[in-house]
Amino acid sequence: SLKDESGSLVGVAVGFRERSPRKLVGPLTSRVWLGALPSIVSGVENGLLDFLSNLELYARDSGNSILEVQSAASRGGREELEQLEFQLTRRLEFVLDLQLSEEELWKGMNYKRRKNINKARRMDVTVSDLSGAEGIAALRRLQGDSSKRIVARGGPDITRKHELSEDPVGVLLDAGVGRIVVAKLEGQIVSASLFTFFNGTVYHTLSGHSNDGTKAQAPTLLLWETMLKYRDLGATSFNFGGCSASAVDKESPEYGVYDYKRAFGGECIECTSGRKVLRKVRHAALRTLKRVAGNK
């Protein structure tokens, strides 16, 4: 948190500290990271810059090698990160206004998306909630299926393995801010997504789909029905997540993600993430160790 001279709270953020459990490399790998830019009370002069400056001091003084400030659902921040000499990554996110009528939402989508939703309905794809351990297991299994396709086209491995009792998704479900929605084809779960809901905005946080699910357009129907459900619950906007700014290039491995998300008709917002090496000698040593290990 950030407080002004009077002690009033003017900024807040959620941060994580991560390091290897191995004694020899633990100090080399220690990093602090934020999933989003800090939230600052409006009207506070240089509030974000002060927050980031203090965060950097904290991360450095507590022995971390790297500070990362990601930009999920975050507008702005480019100037402040640049001023503090972070290495910048430009991103795009897609946000849909759920205060529109169902008819307006439908017409706002690309024709291909509407066609895909109708295809999924013709194939009798059904959408429903799936809570608890069963829902988490389905989500993680299908993430593994999606990861194989992403890696094959040059993208990152998104596979995550946790014991069900330790999976962080369970924390969100238990807190009542997350829900897992699945789509079934012929009785089999072929698509699953985790949605989180804060301050009127729904976030499409995680997802995974089987090959059969993507062919049947189950993910698109799942998104459409979930948007309408949250709209009825009073949500005002829907965040599809994003991609790197370079994804606009048709040669990018992320172009399909960019093309898919923008076709729902939402606003495309520019975001900026930042990464800064705080201890260059340690970071260089870690890179050397990785290179040596990779050559063995």
Side-chain angles (χ1 to χ4, degrees):
S1 59
L2 179 70
K3 296 182 179 180
D4 61 17
E5 295 178 354
S6 68
S8 298
L9 186 68
V10 296
V12 66
V14 177
F16 303 87
R17 188 180 183 192
E18 185 176 49
R19 62 181 288 166
S20 170
R22 298 178 181 176
K23 291 183 179 180
L24 292 179
V25 298
L28 303 180
T29 61
S30 183
R31 71 179 183 124
V32 170
W33 63 276
L34 277 63
L37 288 171
S39 295
I40 307 296
V41 174
S42 61
V44 177
E45 187 176 359
N46 295 323
L48 181 57
L49 183 63
D50 288 344
F51 200 124
L52 293 173
S53 297
N54 280 281
L55 180 63
E56 181 180 337
L57 288 174
Y58 161 77
R60 192 187 300 274
D61 291 346
S62 55
N64 296 280
S65 297
I66 293 175
L67 173 61
E68 294 182 12
V69 181
Q70 299 168 10
S71 53
S74 301
R75 299 173 185 258
R78 181 181 178 86
E79 293 183 4
E80 290 84 355
L81 290 168
E82 193 169 39
Q83 187 172 336
L84 294 172
E85 299 182 341
F86 278 73
Q87 179 183 352
L88 304 184
T89 299
R90 292 180 55 241
R91 297 178 56 255
L92 303 174
E93 287 199 356
F94 301 87
V95 181
L96 184 64
D97 182 4
L98 291 185
Q99 298 178 94
L100 301 173
S101 67
E102 181 176 340
E103 182 180 4
E104 289 172 320
L105 291 172
W106 181 257
K107 288 183 177 180
M109 280 192 295
N110 178 283
Y111 167 75
K112 185 177 179 181
R113 292 292 159 261
R114 300 198 300 266
K115 182 179 178 181
N116 289 344
I117 290 171
N118 288 330
K119 175 182 177 179
R121 286 172 172 163
R122 288 196 304 271
M123 295 185 69
D124 292 326
V125 173
T126 59
V127 176
S128 61
D129 285 17
L130 187 64
S131 60
E134 188 179 0
I136 296 173
L139 174 65
R140 294 306 189 187
R141 173 177 60 79
L142 290 167
Q143 273 191 294
D145 290 350
S146 289
S147 186
K148 294 175 184 176
R149 295 191 297 271
I150 293 171
V151 170
R153 64 173 182 258
D157 184 353
I158 64 169
T159 305
R160 295 291 181 269
K161 295 181 180 179
H162 300 90
E163 293 294 333
L164 288 180
S165 61
E166 299 177 351
D167 197 303
V169 170
V171 178
L172 296 168
L173 299 181
D174 291 343
V177 295
R179 68 195 300 176
I180 293 176
V181 182
V182 301
K184 293 182 179 181
L185 176 66
E186 297 179 351
Q188 299 297 314
I189 297 176
V190 295
S191 180
S193 290
L194 170 69
F195 299 93
T196 50
F197 186 29
F198 304 95
N199 298 325
T201 299
V202 183
Y203 301 89
H204 189 200
T205 307
L206 296 173
S207 64
H209 322 286
S210 71
N211 289 331
D212 288 341
T214 55
K215 290 177 183 178
Q217 299 302 326
T220 306
L221 178 63
L222 188 157
L223 280 171
W224 171 247
E225 293 198 1
T226 302
M227 284 190 290
L228 295 181
K229 183 177 292 186
Y230 272 110
R231 175 181 170 275
D232 292 342
L233 291 173
T236 56
S237 62
F238 189 98
N239 187 308
F240 290 88
C243 55
S244 64
S246 61
V248 298
D249 184 349
K250 291 187 177 181
E251 299 300 317
S252 167
E254 284 191 281
Y255 177 76
V257 176
Y258 165 77
D259 187 54
Y260 183 81
K261 292 183 178 183
R262 70 168 178 163
F264 283 90
E267 176 190 7
C268 179
I269 63 174
E270 294 191 7
C271 309
T272 304
S273 297
R275 183 177 186 271
K276 188 169 187 178
V277 176
L278 305 177
R279 298 180 180 272
K280 295 183 179 180
V281 173
R282 288 187 183 182
H283 186 60
L286 179 63
R287 292 175 62 184
T288 299
L289 286 173
K290 288 182 176 180
R291 185 167 61 250
V292 170
N295 290 333
K296 288 184 177 180

